[in-house]
Coordinates of all heavy atoms in Angstrom, one line a residue:
M3 N -18.4 29.1 7.7 CA -17.9 27.8 7.8 C -18.9 26.9 7.2 O -20.0 26.9 7.5 CB -17.4 27.5 9.2 CG -16.8 26.1 9.3 SD -16.3 26.1 10.9 CE -15.6 25.0 11.5
R4 N -18.4 26.0 6.3 CA -19.3 25.0 5.7 C -19.7 23.8 6.6 O -18.9 23.4 7.3 CB -18.6 24.5 4.4 CG -19.4 23.5 3.6 CD -18.6 23.0 2.4 NE -19.2 22.0 1.7 CZ -19.2 20.7 2.1 NH1 -18.6 20.4 3.1 NH2 -19.7 19.8 1.4
Y5 N -21.0 23.5 6.6 CA -21.5 22.4 7.4 C -21.1 21.1 6.7 O -21.4 20.9 5.5 CB -23.0 22.5 7.6 CG -23.6 21.4 8.3 CD1 -23.4 21.2 9.7 CD2 -24.2 20.4 7.7 CE1 -23.9 20.2 10.5 CE2 -24.8 19.3 8.4 CZ -24.6 19.2 9.7 OH -25.1 18.1 10.5
V6 N -20.5 20.2 7.5 CA -20.2 18.9 6.9 C -21.1 17.9 7.4 O -21.2 17.7 8.7 CB -18.7 18.5 7.2 CG1 -18.4 17.1 6.7 CG2 -17.8 19.5 6.7
T7 N -21.8 17.2 6.6 CA -22.8 16.1 7.1 C -22.0 14.8 7.5 O -20.9 14.7 7.2 CB -23.7 15.7 5.9 OG1 -23.0 15.1 5.0 CG2 -24.5 16.9 5.3
S8 N -22.8 14.1 8.3 CA -22.2 12.8 8.8 C -21.8 11.8 7.7 O -20.9 11.1 7.8 CB -23.1 12.1 9.7 OG -24.4 11.9 9.2
I9 N -22.7 12.0 6.6 CA -22.3 11.1 5.4 C -21.0 11.5 4.8 O -20.2 10.8 4.3 CB -23.5 11.2 4.4 CG1 -24.7 10.5 5.0 CG2 -23.1 10.6 3.0 CD1 -25.9 10.6 4.2
E10 N -20.8 12.9 4.7 CA -19.5 13.4 4.2 C -18.3 13.0 5.0 O -17.3 12.6 4.5 CB -19.6 14.8 4.0 CG -20.5 15.3 2.9 CD -20.7 16.8 2.9 OE1 -20.8 17.4 4.0 OE2 -20.6 17.4 1.8
R11 N -18.5 13.0 6.3 CA -17.4 12.6 7.2 C -17.1 11.1 7.1 O -16.0 10.7 7.1 CB -17.8 13.0 8.7 CG -17.5 14.3 9.1 CD -17.8 14.5 10.6 NE -19.3 14.3 10.8 CZ -20.1 15.1 11.4 NH1 -19.7 16.1 12.0 NH2 -21.4 14.8 11.4
L12 N -18.2 10.3 6.9 CA -18.0 8.9 6.8 C -17.3 8.6 5.5 O -16.4 7.7 5.5 CB -19.4 8.2 6.9 CG -19.4 6.6 6.8 CD1 -18.6 6.1 7.9 CD2 -20.8 6.1 6.7
A13 N -17.7 9.2 4.4 CA -17.1 9.0 3.2 C -15.7 9.4 3.1 O -14.8 8.7 2.6 CB -17.8 9.8 2.0
K14 N -15.3 10.5 3.9 CA -13.9 11.0 4.0 C -13.1 9.9 4.8 O -12.0 9.6 4.4 CB -13.9 12.3 4.7 CG -12.4 12.8 4.8 CD -12.5 14.2 5.4 CE -11.0 14.7 5.5 NZ -10.9 16.0 6.1
A15 N -13.7 9.4 5.9 CA -13.0 8.4 6.7 C -12.8 7.2 5.9 O -11.7 6.5 6.0 CB -13.8 8.1 7.9
E16 N -13.7 6.7 5.1 CA -13.5 5.5 4.3 C -12.5 5.7 3.2 O -11.7 4.8 2.9 CB -14.9 5.1 3.6 CG -15.9 4.6 4.6 CD -17.2 4.3 4.0 OE1 -17.4 4.5 2.8 OE2 -18.1 3.7 4.7
G17 N -12.4 7.0 2.7 CA -11.5 7.2 1.7 C -10.1 7.2 2.3 O -9.1 6.7 1.7
I18 N -10.0 7.7 3.5 CA -8.6 7.7 4.2 C -8.2 6.3 4.5 O -7.1 5.9 4.3 CB -8.7 8.6 5.5 CG1 -8.8 10.0 5.1 CG2 -7.4 8.3 6.4 CD1 -9.1 10.9 6.3
E19 N -9.2 5.5 5.0 CA -8.9 4.1 5.3 C -8.5 3.4 4.1 O -7.5 2.5 4.1 CB -10.1 3.4 5.9 CG -9.8 2.0 6.3 CD -11.1 1.4 7.0 OE1 -11.9 2.1 7.6 OE2 -11.3 0.1 6.9
Q20 N -9.1 3.6 2.9 CA -8.8 2.9 1.7 C -7.4 3.3 1.2 O -6.7 2.5 0.7 CB -9.8 3.2 0.6 CG -9.6 2.5 -0.7 CD -9.9 1.0 -0.6 OE1 -10.5 0.5 0.4 NE2 -9.3 0.3 -1.5
G21 N -7.1 4.6 1.4 CA -5.7 5.1 1.0 C -4.7 4.4 1.8 O -3.6 4.1 1.3
I22 N -4.9 4.3 3.2 CA -4.0 3.6 4.0 C -3.7 2.1 3.6 O -2.6 1.7 3.5 CB -4.4 3.8 5.5 CG1 -4.3 5.2 6.0 CG2 -3.6 2.8 6.4 CD1 -4.9 5.4 7.3
L23 N -4.8 1.5 3.3 CA -4.8 0.1 2.9 C -4.0 -0.1 1.6 O -3.1 -1.0 1.5 CB -6.1 -0.5 2.8 CG -6.9 -0.7 4.1 CD1 -8.3 -1.3 3.8 CD2 -6.2 -1.7 5.0
Q24 N -4.2 0.9 0.7 CA -3.5 0.8 -0.6 C -2.0 1.1 -0.3 O -1.2 0.5 -1.0 CB -4.1 1.8 -1.6 CG -5.4 1.4 -2.2 CD -5.3 0.0 -2.9 OE1 -4.4 -0.2 -3.7 NE2 -6.3 -0.8 -2.6
G25 N -1.7 2.0 0.5 CA -0.3 2.3 0.9 C 0.4 1.1 1.5 O 1.6 0.7 1.2
I26 N -0.3 0.4 2.4 CA 0.2 -0.9 3.0 C 0.5 -2.0 1.9 O 1.6 -2.6 1.9 CB -0.7 -1.4 4.1 CG1 -0.6 -0.4 5.3 CG2 -0.3 -2.8 4.5 CD1 -1.7 -0.7 6.3
L27 N -0.4 -2.1 1.1 CA -0.3 -3.1 -0.1 C 0.9 -2.8 -0.9 O 1.7 -3.6 -1.3 CB -1.5 -3.2 -0.9 CG -2.7 -3.9 -0.3 CD1 -4.0 -3.8 -1.2 CD2 -2.4 -5.4 -0.1
Q28 N 1.0 -1.5 -1.3 CA 2.1 -1.1 -2.2 C 3.5 -1.3 -1.5 O 4.4 -1.7 -2.1 CB 1.9 0.4 -2.6 CG 2.9 0.8 -3.6 CD 2.9 0.0 -4.9 OE1 1.8 -0.5 -5.3 NE2 4.1 -0.2 -5.6
G29 N 3.5 -0.9 -0.2 CA 4.7 -1.2 0.6 C 5.1 -2.6 0.6 O 6.3 -3.0 0.5
S30 N 4.1 -3.5 0.8 CA 4.4 -5.0 0.8 C 4.9 -5.5 -0.5 O 5.7 -6.3 -0.5 CB 3.1 -5.7 1.2 OG 2.7 -5.3 2.5
R31 N 4.3 -4.9 -1.6 CA 4.7 -5.4 -2.9 C 6.2 -5.0 -3.2 O 7.1 -5.7 -3.6 CB 3.9 -4.7 -3.9 CG 2.4 -5.2 -4.0 CD 1.7 -4.5 -5.1 NE 0.3 -4.7 -5.0 CZ -0.7 -3.8 -4.7 NH1 -0.3 -2.5 -4.6 NH2 -2.0 -4.1 -4.7
E32 N 6.5 -3.7 -2.7 CA 7.9 -3.2 -3.0 C 8.8 -4.0 -2.1 O 10.0 -4.4 -2.7 CB 7.9 -1.7 -2.6 CG 7.2 -0.9 -3.7 CD 7.1 0.6 -3.2 OE1 7.5 1.0 -2.1 OE2 6.3 1.4 -4.0
N33 N 8.5 -4.3 -0.9 CA 9.4 -5.1 0.0 C 9.6 -6.4 -0.6 O 10.8 -7.0 -0.6 CB 8.9 -5.1 1.3 CG 8.9 -3.9 2.1 OD1 9.7 -3.0 1.8 ND2 8.1 -3.7 3.1
L34 N 8.6 -7.1 -1.1 CA 8.8 -8.4 -1.7 C 9.7 -8.4 -2.9 O 10.6 -9.2 -3.0 CB 7.4 -8.9 -2.1 CG 7.3 -10.2 -2.9 CD1 8.0 -11.4 -2.2 CD2 5.9 -10.6 -3.2
I35 N 9.5 -7.4 -3.8 CA 10.4 -7.3 -4.9 C 11.8 -7.0 -4.5 O 12.7 -7.6 -5.1 CB 9.8 -6.2 -5.9 CG1 8.5 -6.8 -6.5 CG2 10.8 -6.0 -7.0 CD1 7.6 -5.8 -7.3
E36 N 12.0 -6.2 -3.5 CA 13.3 -5.8 -3.1 C 14.1 -7.1 -2.4 O 15.3 -7.2 -2.7 CB 13.2 -4.8 -2.0 CG 14.6 -4.2 -1.6 CD 14.5 -3.0 -0.7 OE1 13.5 -2.3 -0.8 OE2 15.4 -2.8 0.1
V37 N 13.3 -7.9 -1.8 CA 13.9 -9.2 -1.3 C 14.4 -10.0 -2.5 O 15.5 -10.5 -2.4 CB 13.0 -9.9 -0.4 CG1 13.5 -11.4 -0.1 CG2 12.8 -9.2 1.0
L38 N 13.5 -10.1 -3.4 CA 13.9 -11.0 -4.6 C 15.1 -10.4 -5.3 O 16.0 -11.1 -5.7 CB 12.7 -11.1 -5.5 CG 11.5 -11.8 -5.0 CD1 10.3 -11.7 -5.9 CD2 11.9 -13.4 -4.9
E39 N 15.1 -9.0 -5.4 CA 16.3 -8.4 -6.1 C 17.6 -8.6 -5.3 O 18.6 -8.8 -5.9 CB 16.0 -6.9 -6.3 CG 15.0 -6.6 -7.4 CD 14.7 -5.1 -7.4 OE1 14.9 -4.4 -6.5 OE2 14.1 -4.7 -8.5
T40 N 17.5 -8.6 -4.0 CA 18.7 -8.7 -3.2 C 19.2 -10.1 -3.3 O 20.4 -10.3 -3.4 CB 18.3 -8.3 -1.7 OG1 17.8 -7.0 -1.6 CG2 19.5 -8.6 -0.8
R41 N 18.3 -11.1 -3.3 CA 18.7 -12.5 -3.3 C 19.2 -12.9 -4.7 O 20.1 -13.7 -4.8 CB 17.6 -13.4 -2.8 CG 17.3 -13.1 -1.4 CD 16.6 -14.2 -0.7 NE 17.4 -15.5 -0.8 CZ 17.0 -16.6 -1.2 NH1 15.8 -16.8 -1.5 NH2 17.9 -17.7 -1.2
F42 N 18.4 -12.5 -5.8 CA 18.7 -13.0 -7.1 C 19.1 -12.0 -8.2 O 19.3 -12.4 -9.3 CB 17.4 -13.8 -7.6 CG 16.9 -14.8 -6.6 CD1 15.8 -14.6 -5.9 CD2 17.7 -15.9 -6.3 CE1 15.3 -15.5 -5.0 CE2 17.2 -16.9 -5.4 CZ 16.1 -16.7 -4.8
G43 N 19.2 -10.7 -7.9 CA 19.6 -9.8 -8.9 C 18.3 -9.3 -9.5 O 17.3 -9.1 -9.0
L44 N 18.4 -9.1 -10.9 CA 17.3 -8.6 -11.6 C 16.1 -9.6 -11.6 O 16.3 -10.8 -11.8 CB 17.7 -8.5 -13.1 CG 16.8 -7.8 -14.1 CD1 16.4 -6.4 -13.6 CD2 17.3 -7.8 -15.5
V45 N 15.0 -9.0 -11.2 CA 13.7 -9.8 -11.2 C 13.0 -9.7 -12.5 O 12.7 -8.6 -13.0 CB 12.8 -9.3 -10.0 CG1 11.5 -10.1 -9.9 CG2 13.6 -9.4 -8.7
P46 N 12.5 -10.8 -13.1 CA 11.8 -10.7 -14.4 C 10.6 -9.8 -14.2 O 9.9 -9.8 -13.2 CB 11.5 -12.1 -14.7 CG 12.4 -13.0 -13.9 CD 12.7 -12.2 -12.7
S47 N 10.4 -9.1 -15.3 CA 9.2 -8.2 -15.3 C 7.9 -8.9 -15.1 O 6.9 -8.4 -14.6 CB 9.2 -7.3 -16.6 OG 9.0 -8.2 -17.8
S48 N 7.8 -10.1 -15.6 CA 6.5 -11.0 -15.4 C 6.3 -11.2 -13.9 O 5.1 -11.2 -13.5 CB 6.8 -12.3 -16.1 OG 7.8 -13.1 -15.6
I49 N 7.3 -11.4 -13.1 CA 7.1 -11.5 -11.6 C 6.6 -10.3 -11.1 O 5.6 -10.2 -10.3 CB 8.4 -12.1 -11.0 CG1 8.6 -13.5 -11.3 CG2 8.2 -11.9 -9.5 CD1 9.9 -14.0 -10.7
V50 N 7.3 -9.1 -11.5 CA 6.9 -7.8 -10.9 C 5.4 -7.5 -11.3 O 4.7 -7.0 -10.4 CB 7.8 -6.7 -11.5 CG1 7.4 -5.4 -11.0 CG2 9.3 -7.0 -11.0
E51 N 5.0 -7.8 -12.5 CA 3.6 -7.5 -12.9 C 2.6 -8.3 -12.1 O 1.6 -7.8 -11.6 CB 3.5 -7.9 -14.4 CG 4.2 -6.8 -15.3 CD 4.1 -7.3 -16.8 OE1 3.4 -8.2 -17.1 OE2 4.9 -6.7 -17.5
V52 N 2.9 -9.6 -11.8 CA 2.0 -10.4 -11.0 C 1.9 -9.9 -9.7 O 0.8 -9.7 -9.0 CB 2.4 -11.9 -11.1 CG1 1.5 -12.7 -10.2 CG2 2.2 -12.5 -12.6
V53 N 3.1 -9.6 -9.1 CA 3.1 -9.1 -7.7 C 2.3 -7.8 -7.5 O 1.6 -7.7 -6.6 CB 4.6 -8.9 -7.2 CG1 4.7 -8.1 -5.9 CG2 5.3 -10.3 -7.0
N54 N 2.5 -6.9 -8.5 CA 1.7 -5.6 -8.5 C 0.3 -5.8 -8.7 O -0.4 -4.8 -8.3 CB 2.3 -4.7 -9.5 CG 3.6 -4.1 -9.1 OD1 3.9 -4.0 -7.9 ND2 4.6 -3.8 -10.0
Q55 N -0.2 -6.9 -9.1 CA -1.6 -7.1 -9.2 C -2.3 -7.7 -8.0 O -3.5 -7.9 -7.9 CB -2.0 -8.0 -10.4 CG -1.6 -7.3 -11.7 CD -1.8 -8.2 -12.9 OE1 -2.1 -9.3 -12.8 NE2 -1.5 -7.7 -14.1
I56 N -1.5 -8.2 -7.0 CA -2.0 -8.9 -5.8 C -2.7 -7.8 -4.9 O -2.0 -6.8 -4.6 CB -0.9 -9.7 -5.1 CG1 -0.4 -10.8 -6.0 CG2 -1.4 -10.3 -3.8 CD1 0.8 -11.6 -5.5
E57 N -3.8 -8.1 -4.5 CA -4.6 -7.1 -3.6 C -4.9 -7.7 -2.2 O -5.7 -7.0 -1.5 CB -5.9 -6.8 -4.3 CG -5.8 -6.1 -5.6 CD -5.4 -4.7 -5.4 OE1 -5.7 -4.1 -4.4 OE2 -4.8 -4.1 -6.4
E58 N -4.3 -8.7 -1.9 CA -4.5 -9.3 -0.6 C -3.2 -9.3 0.3 O -2.2 -9.9 -0.1 CB -5.0 -10.8 -0.6 CG -6.4 -10.8 -1.3 CD -6.8 -12.3 -1.4 OE1 -6.6 -13.1 -0.5 OE2 -7.4 -12.7 -2.4
S59 N -3.2 -8.6 1.4 CA -2.0 -8.5 2.2 C -1.5 -9.8 2.8 O -0.3 -10.0 2.9 CB -2.2 -7.5 3.4 OG -3.2 -7.9 4.2
A60 N -2.4 -10.7 3.0 CA -2.0 -12.1 3.6 C -1.2 -12.8 2.5 O -0.3 -13.5 2.8 CB -3.3 -12.9 4.0
V61 N -1.6 -12.7 1.3 CA -1.0 -13.4 0.2 C 0.5 -12.7 0.0 O 1.5 -13.5 -0.1 CB -1.7 -13.3 -1.1 CG1 -0.8 -13.8 -2.3 CG2 -3.0 -14.1 -1.1
L62 N 0.5 -11.4 0.1 CA 1.9 -10.7 0.0 C 2.8 -11.1 1.1 O 4.0 -11.4 1.0 CB 1.7 -9.3 -0.1 CG 1.1 -8.8 -1.4 CD1 0.6 -7.3 -1.2 CD2 2.0 -9.0 -2.5
K63 N 2.2 -11.3 2.3 CA 3.0 -11.7 3.5 C 3.5 -13.1 3.3 O 4.7 -13.3 3.6 CB 2.2 -11.5 4.8 CG 3.0 -11.8 6.0 CD 2.0 -11.6 7.3 CE 2.8 -11.8 8.5 NZ 2.0 -11.5 9.7
T64 N 2.8 -14.0 2.9 CA 3.2 -15.4 2.6 C 4.2 -15.4 1.6 O 5.3 -16.1 1.7 CB 2.0 -16.2 2.2 OG1 1.0 -16.2 3.2 CG2 2.4 -17.7 1.8
L65 N 4.1 -14.7 0.5 CA 5.1 -14.6 -0.6 C 6.5 -14.0 -0.1 O 7.5 -14.5 -0.5 CB 4.5 -13.9 -1.8 CG 3.5 -14.5 -2.6 CD1 2.9 -13.6 -3.7 CD2 4.1 -15.8 -3.2
F66 N 6.3 -13.0 0.7 CA 7.5 -12.4 1.3 C 8.4 -13.4 2.1 O 9.5 -13.5 1.9 CB 7.1 -11.2 2.2 CG 8.2 -10.4 2.8 CD1 8.9 -9.5 2.1 CD2 8.6 -10.8 4.1 CE1 10.0 -8.8 2.7 CE2 9.7 -10.0 4.6 CZ 10.4 -9.1 4.0
K67 N 7.6 -14.2 2.9 CA 8.3 -15.2 3.7 C 9.0 -16.3 2.9 O 10.1 -16.7 3.0 CB 7.4 -15.9 4.7 CG 6.9 -14.9 5.8 CD 5.9 -15.7 6.8 CE 5.5 -14.8 7.8 NZ 4.5 -15.5 8.7
R68 N 8.2 -16.7 1.7 CA 8.9 -17.6 0.8 C 10.0 -17.1 0.1 O 10.9 -17.8 -0.2 CB 7.7 -18.1 -0.2 CG 6.5 -18.8 0.4 CD 6.8 -20.2 1.0 NE 7.2 -21.1 0.1 CZ 6.5 -22.0 -0.6 NH1 5.2 -22.0 -0.4 NH2 7.1 -22.9 -1.4
A69 N 10.0 -15.8 -0.3 CA 11.0 -15.2 -1.0 C 12.4 -15.1 -0.2 O 13.4 -15.2 -0.8 CB 10.7 -13.7 -1.4
I70 N 12.3 -15.2 1.1 CA 13.4 -15.1 1.9 C 14.2 -16.5 1.9 O 15.4 -16.5 1.8 CB 13.0 -14.8 3.4 CG1 12.5 -13.3 3.5 CG2 14.2 -15.0 4.3 CD1 11.9 -13.0 4.8
A71 N 13.4 -17.5 1.8 CA 14.0 -18.8 1.8 C 14.1 -19.7 0.5 O 14.8 -20.6 0.5 CB 13.3 -19.7 2.9
I72 N 13.4 -19.2 -0.5 CA 13.2 -20.0 -1.7 C 14.6 -20.1 -2.4 O 15.3 -19.1 -2.4 CB 12.1 -19.5 -2.6 CG1 11.7 -20.5 -3.6 CG2 12.6 -18.2 -3.3 CD1 10.2 -20.4 -4.0
P73 N 15.1 -21.2 -3.1 CA 16.3 -21.3 -3.6 C 16.5 -20.6 -5.0 O 17.6 -20.4 -5.4 CB 16.6 -22.8 -3.7 CG 15.2 -23.4 -3.6 CD 14.3 -22.5 -2.9
S74 N 15.4 -20.3 -5.7 CA 15.6 -19.7 -7.0 C 14.4 -18.9 -7.5 O 13.4 -19.1 -6.9 CB 15.8 -20.9 -8.1 OG 14.6 -21.5 -8.2
V75 N 14.7 -18.0 -8.4 CA 13.6 -17.2 -8.9 C 12.6 -18.1 -9.7 O 11.4 -17.8 -9.6 CB 14.1 -16.1 -9.9 CG1 13.1 -15.4 -10.7 CG2 15.0 -15.1 -9.1
A76 N 13.1 -19.1 -10.4 CA 12.2 -20.0 -11.1 C 11.1 -20.7 -10.2 O 10.0 -20.8 -10.5 CB 13.0 -21.1 -11.8
E77 N 11.6 -21.1 -8.9 CA 10.7 -21.7 -8.0 C 9.7 -20.7 -7.5 O 8.5 -21.0 -7.2 CB 11.4 -22.3 -6.9 CG 12.2 -23.6 -7.3 CD 12.8 -24.3 -6.1 OE1 12.3 -24.4 -5.1 OE2 14.0 -24.7 -6.3
F78 N 10.2 -19.5 -7.3 CA 9.2 -18.4 -6.8 C 8.1 -18.1 -7.9 O 7.0 -17.9 -7.6 CB 10.0 -17.1 -6.5 CG 9.1 -16.1 -5.9 CD1 8.8 -16.1 -4.5 CD2 8.6 -15.1 -6.7 CE1 8.0 -15.1 -4.0 CE2 7.8 -14.1 -6.1 CZ 7.5 -14.1 -4.7
Q79 N 8.6 -18.1 -9.2 CA 7.7 -17.9 -10.3 C 6.6 -19.0 -10.3 O 5.4 -18.7 -10.5 CB 8.4 -17.8 -11.6 CG 7.6 -17.2 -12.7 CD 8.4 -16.6 -13.9 OE1 9.6 -17.1 -14.0 NE2 7.9 -15.7 -14.6
Q80 N 7.1 -20.2 -10.0 CA 6.1 -21.4 -9.9 C 5.0 -21.1 -8.9 O 3.9 -21.4 -9.1 CB 6.8 -22.7 -9.8 CG 5.9 -23.8 -9.8 CD 5.3 -24.1 -11.2 OE1 5.9 -23.9 -12.2 NE2 4.0 -24.4 -11.1
I81 N 5.5 -20.6 -7.8 CA 4.5 -20.4 -6.6 C 3.5 -19.3 -7.1 O 2.4 -19.4 -6.9 CB 5.3 -19.9 -5.4 CG1 6.1 -21.0 -4.8 CG2 4.3 -19.4 -4.4 CD1 7.0 -20.7 -3.7
L82 N 4.0 -18.3 -7.8 CA 3.1 -17.2 -8.2 C 2.1 -17.7 -9.2 O 0.9 -17.4 -9.3 CB 3.9 -16.1 -9.0 CG 4.6 -15.0 -8.1 CD1 5.3 -14.0 -8.9 CD2 3.5 -14.4 -7.2
Q83 N 2.6 -18.6 -10.1 CA 1.7 -19.2 -11.2 C 0.6 -20.1 -10.4 O -0.7 -20.0 -10.8 CB 2.4 -20.1 -12.1 CG 3.2 -19.3 -13.1 CD 4.1 -20.2 -14.0 OE1 4.3 -21.4 -13.7 NE2 4.7 -19.5 -14.9
N84 N 1.0 -20.8 -9.4 CA 0.0 -21.6 -8.5 C -1.1 -20.7 -7.9 O -2.2 -20.9 -7.9 CB 0.6 -22.4 -7.5 CG 1.5 -23.5 -8.2 OD1 1.3 -23.9 -9.3 ND2 2.4 -24.1 -7.3
I85 N -0.5 -19.5 -7.3 CA -1.5 -18.6 -6.7 C -2.4 -18.0 -7.7 O -3.7 -17.8 -7.5 CB -0.7 -17.5 -6.0 CG1 0.0 -18.1 -4.7 CG2 -1.7 -16.3 -5.6 CD1 0.9 -17.2 -4.0
A86 N -1.9 -17.6 -8.9 CA -2.7 -17.0 -9.9 C -3.8 -18.0 -10.5 O -4.9 -17.6 -10.8 CB -1.8 -16.5 -11.1
S87 N -3.4 -19.2 -10.5 CA -4.4 -20.2 -11.0 C -5.5 -20.5 -10.0 O -6.6 -20.9 -10.4 CB -3.8 -21.5 -11.4 OG -3.2 -22.1 -10.2
Q88 N -5.3 -20.2 -8.6 CA -6.3 -20.4 -7.7 C -7.3 -19.2 -7.6 O -8.3 -19.4 -7.2 CB -5.6 -20.5 -6.3 CG -4.8 -21.8 -6.1 CD -4.1 -21.8 -4.8 OE1 -4.1 -20.9 -4.1 NE2 -3.4 -22.9 -4.6
E89 N -7.0 -18.1 -8.2 CA -7.8 -17.0 -8.0 C -8.8 -16.9 -9.2 O -8.9 -17.5 -10.1 CB -7.0 -15.7 -8.1 CG -6.2 -15.5 -6.9 CD -5.4 -14.2 -6.9 OE1 -5.2 -13.5 -8.0 OE2 -4.9 -13.8 -5.9

């Protein structure tokens, strides 16, 4: 049986944690796009591309809440542009 060092265990744990976080982010992105599709039909690819580049779960959560109540895709796109210009 191979001996596993504490550094190897730590690296494995960090990798698992990173994978979980990436999975949560991807799920949040997909949920956001699904809400937009449900409300407005086809979502422009420009919106999908920007959403898929967001790496902060708090930003995705805020956008998700806004997507539920926003009156149009155009207004949502404006919010995305404002967020992108702040980064």
Side-chain angles (χ1 to χ4, degrees):
M3 182 169 176
R4 182 177 170 281
Y5 176 75
V6 179
T7 67
S8 58
I9 292 174
E10 289 172 317
R11 278 186 294 231
L12 181 60
K14 182 178 180 180
E16 288 176 359
I18 291 170
E19 183 177 332
Q20 186 65 21
I22 290 169
L23 291 174
Q24 286 302 315
I26 291 169
L27 285 173
Q28 187 59 35
S30 296
R31 292 179 192 118
E32 289 171 2
N33 290 336
L34 173 56
I35 292 166
E36 189 170 332
V37 165
L38 292 169
E39 287 174 344
T40 300
R41 294 204 59 229
F42 306 111
L44 185 63
V45 178
S47 61
S48 59
I49 289 179
V50 174
E51 289 173 14
V52 172
V53 167
N54 284 331
Q55 292 175 1
I56 297 172
E57 294 288 331
E58 295 179 38
S59 61
V61 172
L62 290 167
K63 185 175 183 177
T64 299
L65 289 172
F66 182 81
K67 290 178 181 179
R68 298 293 297 269
I70 292 170
I72 202 150
S74 71
V75 172
E77 288 184 47
F78 188 82
Q79 195 159 22
Q80 184 62 42
I81 291 170
L82 277 180
Q83 289 173 348
N84 291 341
I85 289 172
S87 67
Q88 292 174 0
E89 293 181 344

